[in-house]
Amino acid sequence: MALLDDHRLLVTGVLTDDSLAFAIARRALEEGAAVALSSFGRGMSLTRRTARKLAEVGEVGEVIELDVTDPAQVRAAAVTLEGRFGRLDGLVHAIGYAPPSCLGSGMFVAPFEDVATALHASTYSLAALVGALRPLLARSSAPGGASVVALDFDGSRAYPQYDWMGVAKAALESLGRYLAREVGPDRVRVNMLAAGPLRSIAAKSIPGFSLFEDTWADRAPLGWDVNDTSVVGDAAVALLSPLLRATTGAILHVDGGAHAMG
Ligand SMILES: NC(=O)c1ccc[n+]([C@@H]2O[C@H](COP(=O)([O-])OP(=O)(O)OC[C@H]3O[C@@H](n4cnc5c(N)ncnc54)[C@H](O)[C@@H]3O)[C@@H](O)[C@H]2O)c1
């Protein structure tokens, strides 16, 4: 029996095959899950193209349009998923966005409107999605119930250039704990997967990303490969699976151990 047999999942955030969510979706399909993908706006055509590669591994169906900052699209996605799956056993939140002023300019340049945009897309969206999908997640038939996994970057420290996105991630970690408290009684768990730096489209838009790349492998006792997203795919499948059914409100660091070093 595979780890995610009979699991029905929504995986957001697949844009290209460098996306962290791509590695998660592929690994989940290999473990027997039925996977729905979502994307938004101009990213839709790119996601549809990338979905064809995933369709070689398993059935992914039509890409669902879901701009997480649009409440109507969030509600519509819940209706679509109810029709397609009837329930949800897992949700992967792999969404991050911040206007350029929020990254690489320090903390005094971005106006509040830009910070609000970053927090809306990168942090509040987790609450919006879990809230809208809660009835479907509560119907999970997976042993141990449903699992929500949100992609995170260590929010416990201030990193160079990451600026307001770092604040958004720290808030995401806190939000994960509050959501875990609220939806736990429905047998829904909520965990963060804090990954080290990986070369996705979002990462390349961070000014000075090479600074992370250059130092991470030296700091991580296990070493770190910025091109290997499979470590995230494997860890996410563990969190989505019944193996971690007693774990919620946690942050799983998948970063070669760098976050723990002085
Ligand atoms: N790449 C890294 O180094 C790294 C490390 C740790 C955590 N993360 C996190 O992983 C997640 C996925 O990022 P990635 O690196 O795979 O990059 P990516 O560019 O492949 O994915 C980012 C995704 O966010 C989506 N998105 C942005 N705004 C959205 C909105 N309003 N509605 C719906 N979707 C929206 C994009 O469509 C895209 O699919 C993000 O939360 C990111 O912060 C990335």
Side-chain angles (χ1 to χ4, degrees):
M1 192 176 149
L3 274 176
L4 297 179
D5 268 347
D6 206 29
H7 281 61
R8 296 160 190 199
L9 312 178
L10 170 63
V11 178
T12 65
V14 173
L15 204 53
T16 68
D17 44 14
D18 290 332
S19 296
L20 275 54
F22 179 87
I24 297 171
R26 184 173 55 196
R27 195 71 186 82
L29 288 165
E30 285 168 2
E31 288 296 337
V35 173
L37 302 174
S38 70
S39 183
F40 85 116
R42 282 184 297 162
M44 284 292 286
S45 59
L46 203 49
T47 302
R48 285 196 187 104
R49 208 180 312 153
T50 309
R52 281 186 225 127
K53 297 186 193 169
L54 289 170
E56 291 165 16
V57 188
E59 178 61 41
V60 288
E62 270 291 295
V63 176
I64 298 168
E65 179 144 31
L66 173 54
D67 178 342
V68 283
T69 63
D70 179 344
Q73 287 195 17
V74 173
R75 283 193 299 273
V79 172
T80 303
L81 286 162
E82 170 145 43
R84 193 182 295 185
F85 288 151
R87 65 168 205 269
L88 266 188
D89 305 295
L91 161 67
V92 175
H93 179 283
I95 293 169
Y97 172 73
S101 64
C102 291
L103 288 152
S105 313
M107 306 310 285
F108 305 119
V109 169
F112 180 67
E113 293 70 34
D114 287 0
V115 173
T117 299
L119 291 172
H120 194 179
S122 313
T123 307
Y124 176 81
S125 61
L126 179 64
L129 273 187
V130 174
L133 299 175
R134 185 177 186 175
L136 295 180
L137 292 163
R139 257 181 245 157
S140 169
S141 59
S147 170
V148 176
V149 177
L151 273 295
D152 177 27
F153 184 80
D154 178 24
S156 69
R157 275 149 223 264
Y159 288 93
Q161 318 289 331
Y162 206 49
D163 300 344
W164 283 105
M165 198 63 195
V167 176
K169 289 301 190 191
L172 186 74
E173 292 178 354
S174 176
L175 175 62
R177 289 186 286 271
Y178 278 93
L179 291 174
R181 171 186 287 277
E182 196 159 337
V183 299
D186 287 343
R187 293 171 72 245
V188 178
R189 53 194 194 276
V190 182
N191 292 294
M192 298 289 129
L193 193 167
L198 290 156
R199 256 184 222 168
S200 63
I201 290 200
K204 285 180 204 148
S205 73
I206 300 173
F209 182 72
S210 60
L211 209 74
F212 286 98
E213 293 187 329
D214 296 344
T215 54
W216 211 268
D218 293 338
R219 287 181 43 223
L222 295 176
W224 185 252
D225 178 355
V226 293
N227 294 305
D228 181 13
T229 54
S230 73
V231 291
V232 170
D234 286 351
V237 161
L239 284 170
L240 289 165
S241 82
L243 290 178
L244 290 179
R245 65 192 172 281
T247 300
T248 195
I251 301 171
L252 178 63
H253 292 274
V254 181
D255 67 346
H259 74 283
M261 297 299 117

